[in-house]
Amino acid sequence: MPQRIETIQQFYALMQETGKLRRKLVSRIMESESPDPQGSEQLRSFLKALQNIPRQNDRFVLTSSALCLELGYEISELEKDLIFLEQGERALLSYFAELHPGFREEIGSALEFSHGLRLPLTNLISDRDGTVNNYCGRYLSSIQSVYNAVFLSRFAQRAVENAVILTSAPLYGGGLVDITVAPPGLFILAGSKGREYLDARGRDGRLPIEQEKQNKLDHLNRRLEQLMQDPRYELFSLIGSGLQFKFGQTTVARQDIYGSIPTTESEAFMNVIEELIRDIDPQGEYFRTEDTGKDIEIILTVEGESGLKDFDKGDGVSFLDGELDLDLAGGGNLVCGDTSSDIPMVEAANSPQTSAIFVTSETAIKQAVRRICERTHFVSEPDVLVCLLNQLGKDRG
Ligand SMILES: [Mg+2]
């Protein structure tokens, strides 16, 4: 591991190393409940390497890549891990209480709400980013932290039959599997909004896509790959969501949450991408494009009840239900999310025994979730939800 992080490639390599180490640390804790002092020392050296990157204002400057990074997630999750490993769980909870005003009160009322849950539940259906994982502006470095994996694993092991983590990011190739450090066998990991999964027994599966549509998407992906090799556009594959080939969908970043790309360049790139899509799909039969301002989502259309529609996370949940016999209709389900794209999951998993916990302060989202699911609770931070799940797991342990 280089002493100095000067390129974005070195930065990603370091984050990969933290993932490998964290995986070891988590399985040790899950087996013996005692952390490994050498491991936490090594984790501290990774944190130091990040902190040693030269700073300009609040950004970290990678001199060789001419990029300024905001490393809030990477650094704060390493700090939390070190508190957890060196000082223990209580110290971490005190730290959360310092970070988040009202943290203990929120945990209290979330626990009260959870008294209504009949444990063990049949299914946990949860989004990842912003819900059970703090939000990171770069997908590839959003490595799960040790405490997070331990807390969620306790819940998965003791309080629920099927723990499904469902995300819009791909499963492999810099996807959910690569950034997860929880031990295999406890979670069903579902990527690409649920179109592909890796179940608790290590079997994977995917939703069939018509050959003709798949060929179009493959063609688009090849063209995008070529485009991103052009030095003018290379940077777009290294910021924010980068270039992600999901199952049935491709994401291209044109901006990140830190505004690293000048607006005119970002818009010019958007036009280049739109032109490329028109070239491959002139009639708009195969792809729908969604522009979030940061990411351009290019989605293969699916046949819905009223013609062509986009595949959403609710479609993913229904697909998994059929594939993995989740018994969503009959079981006790807890659905967790943080944005409006997670609401279809509540719809798809709704039964008389379904509860929902959302991490949001947005009124429109709260109202929409309440309209679907009677037993609903809201918290303000992923840290609250993760600590709640930990406590529910421990109570049953
Ligand atoms: Mg989310």
Side-chain angles (χ1 to χ4, degrees), residues 114-122 155 158-160 334 391-393 395-396:
S114 305
H115 288 152
L117 301 175
R118 234 196 276 151
L119 301 178
L121 292 163
T122 316
F155 181 82
R158 302 166 186 171
V160 67
L334 174 63
Q391 194 55 48
L392 296 177
D395 287 348
R396 290 192 52 82

Side-chain angles (χ1 to χ4, degrees), residues 127 129 131 338 342:
D127 165 57
D129 300 286
T131 302
D338 74 310
D342 299 319

Side-chain angles (χ1 to χ4, degrees), residues 10 15 165 220 341:
Q10 287 170 343
M15 290 311 297
I165 304 292
L220 173 83
S341 67

Side-chain angles (χ1 to χ4, degrees), residues 125 164-171 176 188-198 205-208 246-247 249 311-321 323-324 345:
I125 309 279
V164 181
I165 304 292
L166 192 152
T167 171
S168 62
L171 194 56
L176 182 59
I188 297 165
L189 300 178
S192 308
K193 297 186 183 168
R195 291 198 223 217
E196 50 176 350
Y197 64 85
L198 177 68
R206 49 190 55 78
L207 185 82
K246 304 172 183 180
F247 196 70
Q249 183 176 339
F311 189 94
D312 64 33
K313 285 180 168 181
D315 296 314
V317 167
S318 303
F319 168 64
L320 295 175
D321 190 20
E323 285 278 294
L324 302 169
M345 297 202 296

Side-chain angles (χ1 to χ4, degrees), residues 266-370:
S266 168
E267 275 164 11
F269 182 63
M270 171 83 197
N271 291 335
V272 171
I273 298 291
E274 279 178 338
E275 206 171 300
L276 184 124
I277 297 169
R278 267 197 300 276
D279 188 37
I280 297 173
D281 182 23
Q283 312 292 336
E285 292 164 77
Y286 296 93
F287 304 120
R288 291 284 163 88
T289 310
E290 250 171 57
D291 174 32
T292 69
K294 300 191 178 57
D295 294 341
I296 308 163
E297 301 279 1
I298 310 163
I299 308 163
L300 265 187
T301 50
V302 291
E303 298 286 346
E305 274 164 22
S306 49
L308 290 178
K309 72 183 268 284
D310 301 340
F311 189 94
D312 64 33
K313 285 180 168 181
D315 296 314
V317 167
S318 303
F319 168 64
L320 295 175
D321 190 20
E323 285 278 294
L324 302 169
D325 294 323
L326 301 178
D327 188 24
L328 289 172
N333 311 311
L334 174 63
V335 185
C336 301
D338 74 310
T339 60
S340 54
S341 67
D342 299 319
I343 296 173
M345 297 202 296
V346 185
E347 266 168 338
N350 204 15
S351 83
Q353 281 83 251
T354 296
S355 306
I357 302 180
F358 265 58
V359 184
T360 186
S361 52
E362 273 182 48
T363 316
I365 295 178
K366 287 183 176 180
Q367 285 172 343
V369 181
R370 275 207 191 99

